[in-house]
Amino acid sequence: MTSIERTAYPRFKRLITAHELHLFFSPNRDELEWAADATDCDEHLLALLLMLKSYRRMGCFPALEDVPEMVVDFVRRAVELPEGTLPAYRAERTAKHHRGLVRKQAGVTYGQARARGTVEQSIRKEAAAKNRPADLIDIALEKVVEAGLELPGFSTFDKMASKIRTEVNASICTGIHDRMSAAQRAGLMRLLEDRDSDGTTLFNRLKKPAKGPAWSHFKNLTKRLEWLDELGDTDVWMDGVAAGRVTDFAGRRTRRTPRSCGTSSPSNASRWSPP
């Protein structure tokens, strides 16, 4: 599972400044009148206002228990509700009805099927050139926002990125395998079986980094390159594979065997984290 902190998926920050509270979470008079007309108790009023302001800030509905206490306190004081009033719904149908009211107020259409389709399409397209799950999730986020759709839950993005990435990686590896001859595949497998004079496998020889700039090292590196060329024409093997994927697979050489190119890897940290 990809950590949400490594992605741009909107979430509350751990620390929210007073300026951010006033800028993003202050209900105006029209919003307060709208919420008061739609609710019948203080708890529902507070919950509806929190959903409205959170949705307008993040494009999705956080669970009420995930709304930071400082945000709850700020909104409660802003609309002069009794101290100790907590946002809560006695029935899920009320919460569902209020989410519908917020969408209408925000002028968005609830289209989860369309949003999921956008997520799948964008991830599948980008996975041919990118491999990091967080990158795939961030691109899908941008496409959903551009389409003016409500964001699906983070788990939807994460599961789709994992599933589609695995499928694309398997397809890439199958293509590489099929472009090799039987003799070339056998030769690669021998890298894990045959050993050098020091007892290590030939695959270990393949992974060794170049040594310092010396003539003897250069000659040894030239001999190793000639040996590698004898394994097969890698340009043919990698035909049609995006350069970024080739670089990504190459960067795993010290951590993976040649048959494990479908596993996960770390990703970049989050680039955006709204309050």
Side-chain angles (χ1 to χ4, degrees):
M1 180 176 178
T2 306
S3 172
I4 190 173
E5 285 77 15
R6 295 188 174 191
T7 74
Y9 194 89
R11 60 196 179 277
F12 290 103
K13 294 196 302 186
R14 293 179 180 176
L15 296 177
I16 305 175
T17 66
H19 173 72
E20 290 170 333
L21 286 171
H22 283 277
L23 182 62
F24 299 116
F25 294 99
S26 291
N28 59 40
R29 180 177 299 177
D30 291 340
E31 290 171 340
L32 178 56
E33 291 179 355
W34 165 81
D37 289 341
T39 56
D40 57 2
C41 64
D42 290 344
E43 289 80 7
H44 287 178
L45 174 62
L46 180 57
L48 181 55
L49 287 171
L50 287 171
M51 285 204 297
L52 175 66
K53 305 307 289 188
S54 298
Y55 188 90
R56 282 185 165 166
R57 178 57 181 150
M58 299 190 293
C60 59
F61 292 107
L64 288 175
E65 59 268 22
D66 292 337
V67 179
E69 185 176 347
M70 66 177 65
V71 175
V72 177
D73 289 342
F74 175 81
V75 174
R76 181 172 52 225
R77 291 195 303 270
V79 297
E80 299 179 352
L81 291 176
E83 189 69 25
T85 302
L86 296 176
Y89 288 111
R90 300 185 183 92
E92 174 56 28
R93 64 181 181 181
T94 305
K96 183 177 180 179
H97 173 62
H98 281 187
R99 288 193 290 270
L101 293 176
V102 170
R103 294 183 186 110
K104 184 177 180 180
Q105 180 76 356
V108 298
T109 302
Y110 182 60
Q112 284 297 284
R114 183 182 167 197
R116 289 174 64 89
T118 300
V119 172
E120 180 175 3
Q121 182 180 14
S122 59
I123 290 178
R124 195 170 295 280
K125 177 181 178 181
E126 296 297 330
K130 302 179 184 297
N131 190 47
R132 293 179 175 179
D135 292 340
L136 299 175
I137 290 172
D138 287 351
I139 291 169
L141 278 168
E142 292 178 5
K143 297 300 182 182
V144 175
V145 172
E146 288 175 3
L149 298 170
E150 180 179 327
L151 294 177
F154 178 75
S155 61
T156 297
F157 285 90
D158 188 41
K159 290 176 182 177
M160 282 193 178
S162 177
K163 176 178 179 292
I164 295 171
R165 175 174 170 271
T166 298
E167 293 173 357
V168 172
N169 283 357
S171 177
I172 291 174
C173 291
T174 298
I176 295 171
H177 176 274
D178 293 344
R179 286 187 289 273
M180 294 179 182
S181 67
Q184 291 169 344
R185 290 195 290 269
L188 285 182
M189 293 306 300
R190 284 197 297 272
L191 293 178
L192 302 174
E193 301 167 356
D194 297 345
R195 297 185 177 274
D196 269 330
S197 56
D198 61 359
T200 60
T201 65
L202 296 183
F203 182 57
N204 192 65
R205 183 204 297 181
L206 181 149
K207 296 188 298 179
K208 285 182 179 179
K211 295 183 179 180
W215 181 245
S216 60
H217 295 164
F218 178 76
K219 289 192 295 184
N220 290 335
L221 193 60
T222 301
K223 291 179 181 178
R224 180 149 64 115
L225 181 59
E226 293 172 351
W227 168 70
L228 287 172
D229 287 340
E230 293 174 356
L231 296 175
D233 188 345
T234 55
D235 287 339
V236 173
W237 297 353
M238 308 304 291
D239 182 46
V241 180
R245 300 309 306 274
V246 175
T247 301
D248 182 81
F249 288 144
R252 297 157 171 261
R253 67 190 186 280
T254 59
R255 305 190 305 275
R256 306 282 189 260
T257 65
R259 292 173 288 175
S260 61
C261 51
T263 51
S264 61
S265 64
S267 176
N268 290 329
S270 171
R271 294 188 292 273
W272 178 68
S273 179

